[in-house]
């Protein structure tokens, strides 16, 4: 299990990231003492660090420099300070990527997965999402249920990916469309309805009836009982 260390002083954001990581089969730990960040990093020995720029006591740049003195562990900066100077500073300090706040969690996970893939030999450890016995393998974009591979179109895969990432939560139609647009899957209201309908039929034909529920006037819910 990949270990991700979160250095973020906004507790809501930090908790949200940790929950998202857990949904993706990764372990997340949030920093406790902002005066002793390096001690906690050394104790946890993470595979990747998520680091904010503005922090109590010492800023993210300071801790990035400290990490880079003896480690090449991947570092992703997250910050609302998105001017070019801060992005350049982050990269010059040794960061591997920079994500602007506010961000979509699916984008964060995509960047984390890409960095882990480049840094470590995934082998048998590709990231997988599970719900009601169905396994979505993000390494090769396949869905497996009861030993059988279920063929998904590009849009069907992206919709199921977002719903599985947020399982047991209602995902609004607006969020689904925004996430699909970010990945070049261009959809409007009607196209989304059609694609969700097709996805349902695909899942039902594989024996996964009722996996996706409609919350009228709000969005969709994927339940993992």
């Amino acid at each position: 299990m990949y270990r991700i260390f979160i250095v973020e002083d906004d507790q809501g954001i930090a908790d949200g990231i940790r929950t998202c990581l857990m949904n993706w089969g990764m372990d997340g730990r949030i920093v406790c003492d902002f005066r002793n960040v390096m001690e906690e990093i050394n104790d946890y020995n993470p595979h990747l660090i998520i680091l904010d720029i503005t922090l109590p006591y010492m800023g993210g740049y300071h801790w990035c420099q400290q990490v880079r003195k003896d480690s090449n562990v991947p570092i992703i900066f997250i910050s609302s300070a998105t001017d070019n100077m801060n992005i350049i500073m982050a990269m010059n300090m040794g960061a591997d990527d920079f994500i602007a706040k506010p961000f979509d969690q699916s984008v964060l996970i995509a960047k984390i997965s890409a960095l882990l893939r480049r840094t470590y030999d995934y082998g048998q450890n590709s990231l997988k999402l599970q719900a009601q016995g169905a396994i979505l393998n993000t390494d090769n974009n396949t869905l497996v249920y009861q030993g059988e591979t279920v063929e998904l179109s590009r849009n069907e895969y992206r919709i199921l990916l977002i719903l599985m990432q947020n399982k047991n939560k209602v995902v609004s139609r607006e969020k689904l469309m925004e996430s699909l647009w970010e990945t070049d899957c261009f959809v409007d209201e009607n196209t989304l309805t059609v694609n969700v309908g097709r996805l349902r039929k695909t899942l039902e034909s594989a024996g996964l009836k009722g996996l996706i529920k409609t919350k009228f006037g709000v969005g969709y819910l994927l339940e993992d009982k």
Side-chain angles (χ1 to χ4, degrees), residues 162-209:
I162 296 163
L163 292 175
M164 274 198 166
Q165 181 187 348
N166 295 278
K167 62 184 179 182
N168 298 320
K169 299 178 184 177
V170 177
V171 180
S172 69
R173 291 176 61 85
E174 290 76 15
K175 181 174 180 179
L176 274 172
M177 287 188 290
E178 286 174 6
S179 297
L180 290 168
W181 271 87
E182 286 177 356
T183 56
D184 295 327
C185 296
F186 304 118
V187 298
D188 56 18
E189 285 273 358
N190 292 332
T191 309
L192 178 62
T193 300
V194 170
N195 278 276
V196 171
R198 288 175 179 167
L199 175 59
R200 277 196 171 115
K201 289 180 180 179
T202 300
L203 296 174
E204 288 173 4
S205 66
L208 287 161
K209 187 175 182 179

Side-chain angles (χ1 to χ4, degrees), residues 133 135 143-150:
I135 301 172
L143 178 70
V144 177
Y145 181 63
Q146 295 182 345
E148 298 293 329
T149 299
V150 182

Side-chain angles (χ1 to χ4, degrees), residues 37-54:
V37 173
M38 283 306 302
E39 290 183 16
E40 295 191 28
I41 289 175
N42 292 333
D43 176 67
Y44 187 49
N45 190 25
H47 293 98
L48 184 145
I49 298 171
I50 297 173
L51 186 61
D52 194 4
I53 291 177
T54 305

Side-chain angles (χ1 to χ4, degrees), residues 21 34 66 152 163:
L21 292 170
F34 287 97
Q66 295 302 305
L152 300 173
L163 292 175

